[in-house]
Amino acid sequence: MVRSFKIEKAHAGIIPESSLFKVLQYLDREERETPFLLIDTDKVRQKISMIGRAIRNARVFYAVKANPDIEILRLLSGLGTGFEIASEGELEILAQLNVDPERIISSNPVKSLKFLKMAASYGVRLFAFDSVDEVEKLVRYIPDSRVYVRLSVPNEGSEWPLSKKFGVELDEALALLCYAKEKGLNPVGITFHVGSQCTNIYNWNIALDKTKNLWERAEKEGITLKMLNIGGGYPIKYRKNVVSIEAIEKNVSALLYGKFPEHTDIFIEPGRAVVGDAGILVTSVIGKAQRGDESWLYLDVGVFNGLMESVGGIKYSYLVESLNQAANKKQWTIAGPSCDSFDVIDKNVTLTEPNIGNIMLILSSGAYTISYASEFNGFSIPRTILI
Ligand SMILES: Cc1ncc(COP(=O)(O)O)c(C=O)c1O
C-alpha cells in the first residue's frame, strides 16, 4: 500500500531523505500492525563512525541501556564497538552474541550482586564505583577488578540530567581511589557523565577541569591513572538544533591536549547519539476527541509503552499520514492508548488533521523508548526492526 505523509520543512534536518525513503519502502512492502520501531542501520553506522573520530586514543562503548535490541548489538559488535552495561540482563544479551569480555565495561556505580557474579564468571573486569561499599563488593566478588571512580559534575543544560544519584566530589573521589588500591583493586581511571542530551558544551569543560585536578592529586598519592571515561551525553536533534558531535569532540580534544598524558585511553559511552536519531516509531491514530477547547489525538504508543522520556521534557517531531495534503492544521494534545491520565505525550503540537487508522511517524525515537517501555494496561511494547 502506497502511503503519503505530510512533510514539513522542519523535518528535513531531523530525518534525512534516505531514511524516510527506507521507511516508506518498508511501509509499502510490509503489512505489519503498529506500533513498531524502525532503525535505519545506515544511520547507526554513520553515527558510530563519527563518534570518537576527533579524540586521540578514543574507544567507544555503546551504552546498551539506550536500546538493547539484539540485532542492534549484533550490528555494533560487527563494527567493533565496545559496550557499556549495567545489569545481568544486558550482559546476557552480549553473551548470546559471544562478545569478548575485554570489550565490555560497566559504569553503573552501584551494581547488583547477581550482576557481579555473572560479570565475574564472564570475565568483565572494568568497573565504575563511587562508594566504600562498592569497593568492598568488588573486592569480594571480582578482586582482580580494574576500577574507575565516578566524579560528580554539573549537568545544567542537559535535558536529561543524571547528577545527584551518582558521583562524588574531589576529596571523596581521591579517598576512594586510595581505598580501592589499599584493598587490592587496580584503580585505573576517572569517569563522569555530563547529563544525557547535553546541549551545553561547557559541561565538558568543567568536568575535565575537575578530572585533571583529581588525576594530579592521585599521582601525588602514588596512583598513576591511565584511563579517562568521558561518559555519554552527546545530543541528537528532536526539534531544536543541537551542538554537533564534531564541535563537542574538538572542544574535548583541545581540553585534553597538554593536560593529560599523551597515551591516556579516552573512553566514550554514547547511547542516545548512536541510535536515537536512527529510530522512527511507527504508530497509528486510534482516536480523536474535542474536550473543551482542546483537540485530543490518541495514538497506539504512549508514555508507558515507549515514550517515557516525553514526561521528562523530550519533545518529539511527528509526521502525519495524510492523503489530503490540503487538510486543516490544528493544535493537538497527543496522548497514548492507556487509561491513565499521566499518559500524555505532548501538548500544543500543530499537525495536519489525520483520520483514525492513519499512521504517524515519531522521529528521533530510537533511544530510551523501547528500553523504558512496559506493557501497562495490556498495550504491547513496539518491536524493533532494522531496515
Ligand atoms: C553511565 C552511563 N554511561 C553512558 C550513558 C549514555 O548516555 P547518553 O545516552 O546520554 O549518551 C548513560 C545514560 O544514562 C549512563 O548512565
Side-chain angles (χ1 to χ4, degrees), residues 63 65-66 84 107 150 162 193 195-197 231-234 269-273 368:
K65 57 183 80 74
E84 187 278 317
S107 296
R150 169 98 168 233
L162 300 166
H193 201 299
S196 199
Q197 185 66 6
Y234 291 6
E269 303 173 341
R272 192 183 301 276
Y368 304 112

Side-chain angles (χ1 to χ4, degrees), residues 287-361:
K288 291 192 281 184
Q290 190 65 33
R291 311 211 185 275
D293 55 6
E294 262 186 276
S295 303
W296 286 70
L297 197 59
Y298 299 85
L299 305 180
D300 58 7
V301 72
V303 166
F304 297 101
N305 64 340
L307 298 170
M308 176 63 83
E309 283 203 322
S310 63
V311 296
I314 296 291
K315 299 262 178 222
Y316 294 95
S317 296
Y318 308 89
L319 277 187
V320 179
E321 180 181 14
S322 165
L323 291 175
N324 176 7
Q325 296 282 337
N328 275 342
K329 280 190 174 178
K330 257 192 190 175
Q331 285 224 317
W332 299 93
T333 297
I334 305 181
S338 76
C339 291
D340 198 308
S341 52
F342 187 68
D343 193 4
V344 176
I345 307 160
D346 215 334
K347 291 187 170 220
N348 305 316
V349 182
T350 307
L351 294 176
T352 305
E353 179 155 6
N355 295 323
I356 307 283
N358 277 166
I359 280 185
M360 271 182 47
L361 304 180

Side-chain angles (χ1 to χ4, degrees), residues 179-240:
Y179 186 61
K181 186 178 172 196
E182 187 189 314
K183 288 286 175 179
L185 302 180
N186 183 2
V188 293
I190 302 171
T191 189
F192 56 77
H193 201 299
V194 293
S196 199
Q197 185 66 6
C198 181
T199 53
N200 178 7
I201 203 163
Y202 298 108
N203 279 13
W204 280 277
N205 296 38
I206 301 170
L208 286 167
D209 277 350
K210 265 184 129 168
T211 305
K212 180 175 163 53
N213 181 315
L214 179 58
W215 192 282
E216 288 172 352
R217 286 171 68 186
E219 185 73 45
K220 282 189 195 134
E221 297 293 330
I223 299 174
T224 299
L225 300 175
K226 41 185 175 291
M227 181 272 255
L228 166 50
N229 180 338
I230 66 170
Y234 291 6
I236 60 167
K237 183 168 179 177
Y238 287 96
R239 283 189 201 166
K240 289 185 281 183

Side-chain angles (χ1 to χ4, degrees), residues 82-299:
F83 297 95
E84 187 278 317
I85 59 171
S87 67
E88 53 275 15
E90 291 179 346
L91 181 52
E92 253 166 40
I93 313 173
L94 295 180
Q96 282 180 50
L97 296 172
N98 284 319
V99 175
D100 186 333
E102 275 300 313
R103 287 168 61 194
I104 304 174
I105 62 172
S106 176
S107 296
N108 179 359
V110 181
K111 290 161 280 298
S112 75
L113 301 186
K114 193 170 173 194
F115 174 53
L116 285 175
K117 285 181 208 159
M118 199 173 156
S121 72
Y122 195 74
V124 181
R125 288 296 176 270
L126 258 172
F127 301 98
F129 73 110
D130 65 1
S131 64
V132 164
D133 284 287
E134 200 67 10
V135 172
E136 281 159 13
K137 275 158 64 185
L138 285 162
V139 169
R140 184 160 159 219
Y141 289 96
I142 317 182
D144 56 342
S145 294
R146 285 169 281 139
V147 294
Y148 45 102
V149 71
R150 169 98 168 233
L151 257 185
S152 144
V153 299
N155 273 208
E156 279 82 30
S158 71
E159 290 184 24
W160 201 266
L162 300 166
S163 49
K164 293 211 177 94
K165 185 171 176 186
F166 297 121
V168 287
E169 289 302 330
L170 288 168
D171 291 349
E172 199 179 343
L174 181 64
L176 283 170
L177 285 171
C178 294
Y179 186 61
K181 186 178 172 196
E182 187 189 314
K183 288 286 175 179
L185 302 180
N186 183 2
V188 293
I190 302 171
T191 189
F192 56 77
H193 201 299
V194 293
S196 199
Q197 185 66 6
C198 181
T199 53
N200 178 7
I201 203 163
Y202 298 108
N203 279 13
W204 280 277
N205 296 38
I206 301 170
L208 286 167
D209 277 350
K210 265 184 129 168
T211 305
K212 180 175 163 53
N213 181 315
L214 179 58
W215 192 282
E216 288 172 352
R217 286 171 68 186
E219 185 73 45
K220 282 189 195 134
E221 297 293 330
I223 299 174
T224 299
L225 300 175
K226 41 185 175 291
M227 181 272 255
L228 166 50
N229 180 338
I230 66 170
Y234 291 6
I236 60 167
K237 183 168 179 177
Y238 287 96
R239 283 189 201 166
K240 289 185 281 183
N241 281 332
V242 291
V243 55
S244 69
I245 290 174
E246 294 91 326
I248 292 170
E249 292 201 341
K250 264 192 183 168
N251 179 46
V252 167
S253 182
L255 295 164
L256 292 174
Y257 188 74
K259 286 193 179 165
F260 293 88
E262 202 178 315
H263 298 296
T264 304
D265 289 320
I266 307 296
F267 286 12
I268 314 173
E269 303 173 341
R272 192 183 301 276
V274 180
V275 288
D277 46 4
I280 300 109
L281 260 170
V282 183
T283 76
S284 296
V285 175
I286 58 166
K288 291 192 281 184
Q290 190 65 33
R291 311 211 185 275
D293 55 6
E294 262 186 276
S295 303
W296 286 70
L297 197 59
Y298 299 85
L299 305 180

